[in-house]
Amino acid sequence: MVSFIVIGVNMKLLLQGVFSAFLIVVSVCPTISADDGYELWLSYKKLDDAAILEEYQQAFSSIVIEGDSETLGIVRQEVKEGLDGLLGVDLPVDSMLSKKAALVIGTPSQSQIIQQLNLSNELASLGREGFLIRSVKIKGIPAIIITANKDIGLLYGSFHLLRLVQIGQSLTDINIHSRPRIQYRLLNHWDNLDRSVERGYAGRSLWKWDELPETIDPRYRDYARANASIGINGAVVNNVNANPIFLTAEYITKLKALADVFRPYGIRLFVSIRFSSPLKPASNRFGRSGGIGSLETADPLDPDFRNFWKEKVKEVYQSIPDFGGFLVKANSEGMPGPQDYKRSHADGANMLAEALAPYGGIVMWRAFVYDADVDPDRAKRAYMEFVPLDGQFFANVFVQSKNGPIDFQPREPIQPLFGAMPKTPLMLELQITQEYLGHSKHLVFLAPLWKECLDFDTYAKGQGSYVWRVIDGSLHDYSMTGIAGVANTGSDRNWCGHLFAQANWYAFGRLAWDHNLSSEAIAEEWIRMTLSRNDDVVKTIKSMMIGSREACVNYMTPLGLHHIMQAGFHYGPQPDYAKSSRLDWTSVYYHRADSTGLGFDRSSSGSNATRQYFSPWQKRFDSIETCPEEYLLWFHHVRWDHKMQSGRTLWQELCYRYNTGINYVKEMRRKWAMLEKDIDPEIFSHVREKLTTQDKDAGIWRDTCLGYFQKFSKMPIPEYN
Ligand code: GCV
């Protein structure tokens, strides 16, 4: 017994020794821990190009920041950590210039050094969030300044400068004026109370409601920091299929705690609301019928109903003075709304807008509605419901619309509402999470999809009426402008499930700030900041990313096919899905395959959805001969033997496109395999495995879809390599 105890003690000591030795090894050898993706594009790893490193080291021998605020504290810490890491130095942070080159950061109101530079004219054009970065001489000493009207501009400017250093751009004679082109740049989280995330593929929700407000997960700050680094300035924290509980007093304190973390990063908090919240509770608190009040009616013209919202808004602003406002999904997919009381969307939105207006809050009223009674063609319904309401919404109401008329498909023509509501600020809703584009299993870089949408010329006011001009307000002179992205973040260590899905979060922010940026430029920034600065590696990865969305279109829904994904789950193919309580949730409704051909006839001989577009698109979309082939089966029912531009028949082209998509994925696998020595091992194998899955599942898409459509075409599947 005694000897057993002695042995036991010795064993314990031995184990402790091994454990401490392990800890020492882990802490002194950081290279042991591989990159798990947590740092996103902000890891600030030391630069290895000696020439550029020397340039930066000479430019920055100290950081001078004058002023004081929470945001400035963040600026100080970020710039110091960023430059120290990137340059491998320990820069002094001061409030006075020494005799050596410095980075000087401040607003004219807080920094005497900046004030003396007399930049008020230039700053006047930069607004609240813009910034100026410039090489100057201050009393003969070379300096790079970051200045802005407000501290948040300094934070954006600091992140921008760090980005330039991260990607190795020369700073000689730098002179950058930058301000966001869109005012509200929001993430929409479809996060539920129980921490599940609707259409989320990266673990659970970031928000731990059961721990708030007492415990502040450090990740909230990291989330806010990542958003600020790309210029996102707002977050709707809960699902549009909203649970009214978020507006109870208990949850307002939780929301306040989050808002307090977000604020110094320039991020305003918004909430999705259930329109009927003032109703008395239902027995099932997760059901969609009940509310958190005591009313019997949710009629927006009812005085008690209106008063509920006024009081609720007041309560929210007492806790969160910079609260942003409400996002509303009403009369859509079972969510209650004003139409339940024979009132219009405008009646509903305006009632909320009136309550929010005194505090500077806004309403984002979603146009994602598709009531079957409006029209048999789902693609037409939002336009038909909303265009007649143009001019009826209050000034602080956005109508928020998805980019396409159906639902975030790999490719859709533009939602014709854009350009058709000149008196109503339209907010563009994009989907960052890959609901229909391979979840977090497929590498699909979405910037090209978003650019395609933003750069589409609606012709609403003649040539040059691009969607980006609708969204940035310049086409119709909107009084407010906004863009939203349905978030792809979650509790996964790497935030987005797939490492490359981080690039979509990044791209959304960058485009929201400046829609003129090209997909290539954004991809390149992200790769250099996240994966590698080696030119060849960057080139290879960029070539993978740039065509990945087109590949996804090809192996899922080529030539304008749409919504043939697995019912509900929306991952794999299910073109034969025919039975549902709703016709417009089945695949056969959308593809309309029969023995003569394939596609939904939305031309003037069919549903006439083409009518909703401005000329010349109306005509172009309307004819099989002039309709762009990428939208062919969206607008037309096309004969199997129809001659395509390639000279192939429709059937052959379909087979060819599916194969092209798969070949691209195989090529991505081949390219990635070549990078084994250049990429962090953990990231390398993570992506390699994802690509293997993507390849396999793209094959399933082709085989399922062609196998199914062949039953109608009765034609052989040609061999394409
Ligand atoms: C949040 C699609 C999605 C739903 C989503 C809805 C919406 O239908 O599949 O999950 O609900 O769009 O945007 O409201």
Coordinates of all heavy atoms in Angstrom, one line a residue, residues 576-623:
D576 N -35.7 16.5 -59.0 CA -37.0 15.8 -59.1 C -38.0 16.2 -57.9 O -39.0 15.6 -57.8 CB -36.8 14.3 -59.1 CG -36.1 13.8 -57.9 OD1 -35.7 14.6 -57.1 OD2 -36.1 12.6 -57.7
Y577 N -37.6 17.1 -57.1 CA -38.5 17.5 -56.0 C -39.8 18.1 -56.5 O -39.7 19.2 -57.0 CB -37.7 18.4 -55.0 CG -38.5 18.8 -53.8 CD1 -39.0 17.8 -52.9 CD2 -38.8 20.1 -53.5 CE1 -39.7 18.1 -51.8 CE2 -39.5 20.5 -52.3 CZ -40.0 19.5 -51.5 OH -40.7 19.8 -50.4
A578 N -40.9 17.4 -56.2 CA -42.1 17.9 -56.8 C -43.2 18.0 -55.8 O -44.2 18.8 -56.1 CB -42.5 16.8 -57.9
K579 N -43.1 17.4 -54.7 CA -44.2 17.4 -53.7 C -43.9 18.3 -52.6 O -43.0 18.1 -51.8 CB -44.5 16.0 -53.2 CG -45.4 15.2 -54.1 CD -46.1 14.1 -53.3 CE -46.7 13.2 -54.3 NZ -46.1 11.9 -54.2
S580 N -44.7 19.4 -52.4 CA -44.6 20.3 -51.2 C -45.9 20.9 -51.0 O -46.7 21.0 -51.9 CB -43.5 21.3 -51.6 OG -43.6 22.4 -50.7
S581 N -46.0 21.5 -49.8 CA -47.3 22.2 -49.6 C -47.3 23.5 -50.5 O -48.4 24.0 -50.7 CB -47.3 22.6 -48.1 OG -46.2 23.4 -47.8
R582 N -46.2 23.9 -51.0 CA -46.2 25.1 -51.9 C -45.5 24.7 -53.2 O -44.4 24.2 -53.2 CB -45.4 26.2 -51.2 CG -46.0 26.8 -50.0 CD -45.3 28.0 -49.5 NE -45.3 29.0 -50.6 CZ -45.2 30.3 -50.3 NH1 -45.1 30.7 -49.1 NH2 -45.2 31.2 -51.3
L583 N -46.2 25.0 -54.2 CA -45.6 24.7 -55.6 C -44.3 25.4 -55.8 O -43.3 24.8 -56.3 CB -46.6 25.3 -56.6 CG -46.4 24.9 -58.1 CD1 -46.4 23.4 -58.2 CD2 -47.5 25.6 -58.9
D584 N -44.2 26.7 -55.3 CA -43.0 27.4 -55.5 C -41.8 27.1 -54.6 O -40.8 27.8 -54.5 CB -43.3 28.9 -55.5 CG -44.0 29.4 -54.2 OD1 -44.1 28.6 -53.3 OD2 -44.5 30.5 -54.2
W585 N -42.0 26.0 -53.9 CA -40.9 25.4 -53.1 C -40.4 24.1 -53.8 O -39.4 23.5 -53.3 CB -41.2 25.1 -51.7 CG -41.3 26.4 -50.8 CD1 -41.0 27.7 -51.3 CD2 -41.7 26.5 -49.5 NE1 -41.2 28.6 -50.2 CE2 -41.6 27.9 -49.1 CE3 -42.1 25.6 -48.5 CZ2 -41.9 28.4 -47.8 CZ3 -42.3 26.1 -47.2 CH2 -42.3 27.4 -46.9
T586 N -41.0 23.8 -54.9 CA -40.5 22.5 -55.6 C -39.5 22.9 -56.7 O -39.5 24.0 -57.2 CB -41.7 21.8 -56.2 OG1 -42.2 22.6 -57.3 CG2 -42.8 21.5 -55.2
S587 N -38.7 21.9 -57.1 CA -37.8 22.2 -58.1 C -38.4 22.2 -59.5 O -38.1 23.0 -60.4 CB -36.7 21.1 -58.1 OG -36.0 21.0 -56.9
V588 N -39.4 21.3 -59.7 CA -40.0 21.2 -61.0 C -40.8 22.5 -61.4 O -40.9 22.8 -62.6 CB -41.0 20.0 -61.0 CG1 -40.3 18.7 -60.9 CG2 -42.1 20.1 -60.0
Y589 N -41.2 23.2 -60.4 CA -41.8 24.5 -60.7 C -40.8 25.4 -61.4 O -41.2 26.2 -62.3 CB -42.3 25.2 -59.3 CG -42.6 26.6 -59.4 CD1 -43.9 27.0 -59.8 CD2 -41.7 27.6 -59.1 CE1 -44.3 28.3 -59.8 CE2 -42.1 29.0 -59.1 CZ -43.4 29.3 -59.5 OH -43.7 30.6 -59.6
Y590 N -39.5 25.3 -61.0 CA -38.6 26.3 -61.5 C -37.9 25.8 -62.9 O -37.6 26.6 -63.7 CB -37.4 26.5 -60.5 CG -37.9 27.2 -59.3 CD1 -38.2 26.6 -58.1 CD2 -38.2 28.6 -59.4 CE1 -38.7 27.3 -57.0 CE2 -38.7 29.3 -58.3 CZ -38.9 28.6 -57.1 OH -39.4 29.3 -56.0
H591 N -37.7 24.5 -63.0 CA -36.9 24.1 -64.2 C -37.9 23.7 -65.4 O -37.5 23.8 -66.5 CB -35.9 23.0 -63.9 CG -36.5 21.7 -63.5 ND1 -37.3 20.9 -64.3 CD2 -36.4 21.0 -62.3 CE1 -37.6 19.8 -63.6 NE2 -37.1 19.8 -62.4
R592 N -39.1 23.2 -65.0 CA -40.1 23.0 -66.0 C -39.6 22.0 -67.2 O -40.0 22.2 -68.4 CB -40.6 24.3 -66.6 CG -40.9 25.2 -65.5 CD -42.2 26.0 -65.7 NE -42.6 26.4 -64.4 CZ -43.7 27.1 -64.2 NH1 -44.5 27.4 -65.2 NH2 -44.1 27.5 -63.0
A593 N -38.8 21.1 -66.8 CA -38.3 20.1 -67.9 C -39.5 19.3 -68.4 O -40.3 18.9 -67.7 CB -37.3 19.2 -67.3
D594 N -39.5 19.1 -69.7 CA -40.5 18.2 -70.3 C -39.8 17.7 -71.6 O -38.7 18.0 -71.9 CB -41.8 18.9 -70.6 CG -41.7 20.1 -71.5 OD1 -40.7 20.2 -72.3 OD2 -42.6 21.0 -71.5
S595 N -40.6 16.9 -72.3 CA -40.0 16.3 -73.5 C -39.5 17.3 -74.6 O -38.7 17.0 -75.4 CB -41.0 15.3 -74.1 OG -42.1 16.0 -74.5
T596 N -40.1 18.5 -74.6 CA -39.7 19.4 -75.6 C -38.5 20.2 -75.2 O -37.7 20.7 -76.0 CB -40.8 20.5 -75.9 OG1 -41.1 21.2 -74.7 CG2 -42.1 19.8 -76.4
G597 N -38.3 20.5 -73.9 CA -37.1 21.3 -73.5 C -37.1 21.6 -72.0 O -37.7 20.9 -71.2
L598 N -36.4 22.7 -71.7 CA -36.1 23.0 -70.3 C -36.2 24.5 -70.1 O -35.9 25.3 -71.0 CB -34.7 22.5 -70.1 CG -34.0 22.7 -68.7 CD1 -34.8 21.9 -67.6 CD2 -32.6 22.3 -68.7
G599 N -36.6 24.9 -68.9 CA -36.6 26.3 -68.5 C -38.0 26.9 -68.3 O -39.0 26.3 -68.7
F600 N -38.0 28.0 -67.5 CA -39.2 28.7 -67.1 C -39.5 29.8 -68.1 O -38.7 30.7 -68.3 CB -39.0 29.3 -65.7 CG -40.2 29.7 -65.0 CD1 -40.4 29.4 -63.6 CD2 -41.2 30.5 -65.5 CE1 -41.5 29.7 -62.9 CE2 -42.3 30.9 -64.8 CZ -42.5 30.5 -63.5
D601 N -40.6 29.8 -68.8 CA -40.9 30.8 -69.8 C -41.5 32.0 -69.0 O -42.6 32.1 -68.7 CB -42.0 30.3 -70.8 CG -42.2 31.3 -71.9 OD1 -41.6 32.4 -71.8 OD2 -43.0 31.0 -72.8
R602 N -40.6 33.0 -68.9 CA -40.9 34.3 -68.3 C -41.0 35.4 -69.3 O -41.0 36.6 -69.0 CB -40.0 34.6 -67.1 CG -40.0 33.7 -66.0 CD -39.2 34.2 -64.8 NE -39.5 33.5 -63.6 CZ -38.7 32.5 -63.0 NH1 -37.5 32.3 -63.5 NH2 -39.1 31.9 -61.9
S603 N -41.0 35.0 -70.6 CA -41.1 36.0 -71.6 C -42.6 36.4 -71.8 O -43.4 36.0 -71.0 CB -40.6 35.3 -73.0 OG -41.6 34.4 -73.4
S604 N -42.8 37.3 -72.8 CA -44.2 37.8 -72.9 C -45.1 36.7 -73.4 O -46.3 36.8 -73.2 CB -44.2 38.9 -74.0 OG -43.4 38.6 -75.1
S605 N -44.6 35.6 -73.8 CA -45.5 34.5 -74.1 C -45.7 33.6 -72.9 O -46.5 32.6 -72.9 CB -45.0 33.6 -75.3 OG -43.7 33.3 -75.1
G606 N -45.0 33.9 -71.8 CA -45.1 33.1 -70.6 C -45.6 34.0 -69.5 O -46.6 34.7 -69.6
S607 N -44.8 34.0 -68.4 CA -45.3 34.8 -67.2 C -45.1 36.3 -67.4 O -45.6 37.1 -66.6 CB -44.5 34.4 -66.0 OG -43.3 35.0 -66.0
N608 N -44.4 36.7 -68.4 CA -44.1 38.1 -68.7 C -43.4 38.9 -67.7 O -43.5 40.1 -67.5 CB -45.5 38.8 -69.0 CG -45.3 40.0 -70.0 OD1 -44.3 40.1 -70.6 ND2 -46.3 40.8 -70.1
A609 N -42.5 38.1 -67.0 CA -41.6 38.8 -66.0 C -40.7 39.7 -66.7 O -40.2 40.7 -66.1 CB -40.9 37.8 -65.2
T610 N -40.4 39.5 -67.9 CA -39.5 40.4 -68.7 C -40.0 41.8 -68.7 O -39.2 42.8 -68.8 CB -39.3 39.9 -70.1 OG1 -40.5 39.6 -70.7 CG2 -38.5 38.6 -70.1
R611 N -41.3 42.0 -68.6 CA -41.9 43.3 -68.6 C -41.4 44.2 -67.5 O -41.5 45.4 -67.5 CB -43.4 43.1 -68.4 CG -44.4 43.4 -69.6 CD -44.0 44.4 -70.5 NE -44.4 45.8 -70.2 CZ -45.6 46.3 -70.2 NH1 -46.6 45.6 -70.6 NH2 -45.9 47.5 -69.9
Q612 N -41.0 43.5 -66.4 CA -40.6 44.3 -65.2 C -39.2 45.0 -65.4 O -38.8 45.8 -64.5 CB -40.6 43.4 -64.0 CG -41.9 42.9 -63.6 CD -41.9 42.0 -62.4 OE1 -40.9 41.5 -62.0 NE2 -43.1 41.8 -61.7
Y613 N -38.5 44.7 -66.5 CA -37.2 45.3 -66.7 C -37.4 46.5 -67.6 O -38.3 46.6 -68.4 CB -36.3 44.3 -67.3 CG -35.9 43.2 -66.3 CD1 -36.7 42.1 -66.2 CD2 -34.9 43.4 -65.4 CE1 -36.4 41.1 -65.2 CE2 -34.6 42.4 -64.4 CZ -35.4 41.3 -64.4 OH -35.1 40.3 -63.4
F614 N -36.4 47.4 -67.5 CA -36.4 48.6 -68.3 C -35.9 48.2 -69.7 O -35.1 47.2 -69.9 CB -35.5 49.7 -67.8 CG -36.0 50.3 -66.5 CD1 -35.6 49.8 -65.3 CD2 -36.9 51.3 -66.5 CE1 -36.1 50.3 -64.1 CE2 -37.4 51.9 -65.4 CZ -37.0 51.4 -64.1
S615 N -36.3 49.0 -70.7 CA -35.7 48.8 -72.0 C -34.2 49.2 -72.0 O -33.9 50.1 -71.3 CB -36.5 49.8 -73.0 OG -36.1 49.6 -74.2
P616 N -33.3 48.6 -72.7 CA -33.6 47.5 -73.7 C -33.6 46.1 -73.1 O -33.7 45.1 -73.9 CB -32.3 47.7 -74.6 CG -31.2 48.1 -73.7 CD -31.9 49.0 -72.7
W617 N -33.4 45.9 -71.8 CA -33.4 44.6 -71.2 C -34.7 43.8 -71.5 O -34.7 42.6 -71.8 CB -33.1 44.6 -69.7 CG -31.7 44.9 -69.4 CD1 -31.2 46.0 -68.8 CD2 -30.6 44.1 -69.8 NE1 -29.8 45.9 -68.7 CE2 -29.4 44.8 -69.4 CE3 -30.4 43.0 -70.6 CZ2 -28.1 44.3 -69.6 CZ3 -29.1 42.5 -70.8 CH2 -28.0 43.2 -70.3
Q618 N -35.8 44.6 -71.4 CA -37.1 44.0 -71.6 C -37.2 43.2 -72.9 O -37.5 42.0 -72.9 CB -38.1 45.2 -71.7 CG -39.5 44.8 -71.2 CD -40.4 46.1 -71.3 OE1 -41.0 46.3 -72.3 NE2 -40.4 46.8 -70.2
K619 N -36.7 43.8 -73.9 CA -36.7 43.2 -75.2 C -35.7 42.1 -75.3 O -35.9 41.0 -75.9 CB -36.4 44.2 -76.3 CG -37.6 44.5 -77.2 CD -37.2 45.5 -78.2 CE -37.8 45.2 -79.6 NZ -37.4 46.2 -80.5
R620 N -34.5 42.4 -74.8 CA -33.4 41.5 -74.9 C -33.7 40.2 -74.1 O -33.4 39.1 -74.6 CB -32.1 42.1 -74.3 CG -31.0 42.3 -75.3 CD -29.8 42.9 -74.7 NE -29.6 44.2 -75.1 CZ -28.6 45.0 -74.7 NH1 -27.9 44.7 -73.7 NH2 -28.5 46.2 -75.2
F621 N -34.2 40.3 -72.9 CA -34.5 39.1 -72.1 C -35.7 38.4 -72.8 O -35.8 37.2 -72.7 CB -34.9 39.5 -70.7 CG -33.8 40.0 -69.8 CD1 -34.0 40.8 -68.8 CD2 -32.5 39.5 -70.0 CE1 -33.0 41.2 -67.9 CE2 -31.5 39.8 -69.1 CZ -31.7 40.7 -68.1
D622 N -36.5 39.1 -73.5 CA -37.8 38.5 -74.0 C -37.6 37.5 -75.1 O -38.4 36.7 -75.3 CB -38.7 39.6 -74.4 CG -40.2 39.2 -74.3 OD1 -40.5 38.7 -73.2 OD2 -40.9 39.2 -75.3
S623 N -36.5 37.7 -75.9 CA -36.3 36.9 -77.0 C -35.2 35.8 -76.8 O -34.1 36.2 -76.3 CB -35.9 37.7 -78.2 OG -35.1 37.0 -79.1

